[in-house]
Amino acid sequence: MQLTWLAPDDRNEVKKFYRQHMPYARLLQKESVCVLTQTDTNTDNLGEIVACVRIRPIGQLSILTGMLVHPDFRGQGVGHQLMRELSPFLCDGKTYIFALAHLEGFYAQHGFGVIADAPNDIAQLFLKYQGSEKELVLMGLTGAIER
């Protein structure tokens, strides 16, 4: 599998992927989008999207959002592989995630911890998302964890 960062004008396949498996997701132009694909060595095509995630800038900070593994590949370590390959692009103390409560342990394995306080822009956005019917947990990458 291969990690690929997509240019803003090269996101049609990932839009279809989200529409099919996470229809409420909305890609923003300012977000960085990366996909993990099964590559077809016989063509120059991107290959089948197995997983994707977006990084949304919020000033000097960022939110890891929209992580999605294709249902056929869940439970096979693909999410862990995506997080490992993504880790060089994440900044301690500056990257946050609004994790579904049942995924708290997953993200903890990749350096995220539950935090009580976040910078105002992140905290306000979290409050907005928290109003949905899903229970969310505010997590920050290691440097943002309050000890």
Side-chain angles (χ1 to χ4, degrees):
M1 288 193 216
Q2 177 179 328
L3 185 73
T4 305
W5 291 91
L6 302 178
D9 57 347
D10 195 22
R11 297 179 177 178
N12 287 335
E13 290 304 311
V14 81
K15 286 179 184 177
K16 290 177 193 173
F17 183 72
Y18 274 116
R19 207 172 309 125
Q20 184 176 8
H21 303 290
M22 190 187 277
Y24 56 86
R26 297 289 175 258
L27 274 71
L28 303 177
Q29 280 294 112
K30 66 181 180 175
E31 294 175 332
S32 298
V33 178
C34 70
V35 294
L36 198 57
T37 57
Q38 280 192 320
T39 53
D40 182 351
T41 55
N42 298 325
T43 69
D44 291 333
N45 292 341
L46 187 60
E48 179 186 2
I49 297 174
V50 174
C52 60
V53 69
R54 305 183 327 260
I55 299 176
R56 179 183 307 167
I58 307 289
Q60 298 296 313
L61 309 171
S62 63
I63 296 176
L64 188 72
T65 188
M67 183 161 165
L68 175 61
V69 175
H70 189 288
D72 293 347
F73 292 89
R74 291 180 186 161
Q76 300 176 32
V78 171
H80 291 290
Q81 181 180 350
L82 179 58
M83 290 299 292
R84 282 191 301 272
E85 294 199 31
L86 190 62
S87 67
F89 302 97
L90 304 178
C91 297
D92 284 357
K94 294 188 176 191
T95 304
Y96 297 84
I97 189 166
F98 307 156
L100 293 170
H102 71 278
L103 294 175
E104 180 181 328
F106 170 83
Y107 290 111
Q109 292 178 51
H110 296 283
F112 285 85
V114 175
I115 58 172
D117 293 315
N120 189 53
D121 290 347
I122 300 292
Q124 292 300 315
L125 196 56
F126 180 69
L127 287 173
K128 176 182 169 188
Y129 279 87
Q130 207 173 18
S132 69
E133 64 277 354
K134 297 178 180 164
E135 183 183 348
L136 297 176
V137 178
L138 177 58
M139 301 181 81
L141 199 54
T142 305
I145 297 172
E146 292 185 1
R147 303 202 183 270

